[in-house]
Amino acid sequence: MSKIDQQLFSAHEHALEKEYETCPQCGQSLQVKNSQHGPFLGCSAYPECDFKRPLQQHGDITKVLTGSSCPLCQHELALKQGRYGMFVGCTQFPECQHIASLSQATATDIACPNCKSGHLVQRKSRFGKLFYACDSYPKCKYAVNEPPVAQPCPECDWPILTVKKTAAGKRLVCPQKQCKYKSEPI
């Protein structure tokens, strides 16, 4: 058997232990604990003390955008890391609640078939999937998952059709659930 240097293992164990601050409620040390939602800092005196805090703070300022101003309070805006990715928010949070998304919606020239006053725009969900929704949201909540085409359905006269990819190829499909129209592969 070869000899194992025990100092290597003890040095590694000490590197994993990180010093955290004390609990603001009871003064005991805080420990890294795990839950189904991920790691967090919790009081070592649990269950007597129930203090807990996320390991990573959301909404942390990554970079202040100099020269920009909040439309609500005229303070500077900042690039922040949030729960669903990067966004722009006011530096005076929580007093000022202004936020803006970094992604721009891509407009189409197709009128919304539901409200007939808005247009469909391409958006991205928090999971990265593209969808097409009315730009009059929240007044109109119409949305489709496939790219729309400004062509009426020959069966039900719905103002748009969508392009759906199937095993046979791309087809024009009516987005109305009760209508079963599908074109021949394109």
Side-chain angles (χ1 to χ4, degrees):
M1 286 246 149
S2 65
K3 291 186 177 182
I4 298 174
D5 188 5
Q6 295 297 326
Q7 291 179 341
L8 292 176
F9 288 104
S10 62
H12 179 68
E13 290 171 2
H14 292 297
L16 291 177
E17 294 177 11
K18 188 174 178 183
E19 291 291 325
Y20 290 103
E21 64 268 15
T22 59
C23 176
Q25 290 180 358
C26 69
Q28 295 288 328
S29 64
L30 295 178
Q31 297 175 336
V32 176
K33 297 185 178 189
N34 290 309
S35 73
Q36 63 184 10
H37 302 292
F40 66 96
L41 286 177
C43 184
S44 60
Y46 181 81
E48 291 82 26
C49 177
D50 63 350
F51 177 79
K52 61 185 173 186
R53 187 182 78 215
L55 195 57
Q56 295 177 341
Q57 297 291 327
H58 296 298
D60 288 343
I61 294 177
T62 304
K63 181 180 178 184
V64 175
L65 303 172
T66 55
S68 63
S69 64
C70 174
L72 301 177
C73 69
Q74 277 57 47
H75 283 90
E76 286 187 315
L77 295 174
L79 186 63
K80 297 182 177 187
Q81 175 66 41
R83 184 175 182 180
Y84 301 114
M86 302 295 283
F87 68 97
V88 176
C90 184
T91 55
Q92 297 301 308
F93 180 81
E95 291 83 24
C96 180
Q97 301 283 327
H98 174 73
I99 61 169
S101 175
L102 286 178
S103 62
Q104 296 291 327
T106 306
T108 63
D109 58 347
I110 300 171
C112 176
N114 193 34
C115 69
K116 298 180 180 41
S117 62
H119 287 80
L120 296 180
V121 292
Q122 180 183 10
R123 297 187 186 269
K124 190 181 285 189
S125 73
R126 65 182 178 188
F127 304 111
K129 187 167 173 25
L130 294 177
F131 67 98
Y132 299 84
C134 183
D135 61 359
S136 298
Y137 180 84
K139 187 176 78 174
C140 177
K141 296 181 179 173
Y142 183 78
V144 290
N145 290 326
E146 288 87 18
V149 177
Q151 182 177 339
C153 177
E155 289 186 14
C156 68
D157 290 327
W158 187 250
I160 66 166
L161 293 173
T162 59
V163 178
K164 186 167 185 149
K165 293 180 185 175
T166 63
K170 293 182 180 180
R171 294 177 179 233
L172 292 177
V173 177
C174 183
Q176 294 292 89
K177 293 211 185 268
Q178 64 270 17
C179 181
K180 304 291 184 197
Y181 174 75
K182 291 181 184 175
S183 73
E184 293 297 318
I186 302 172

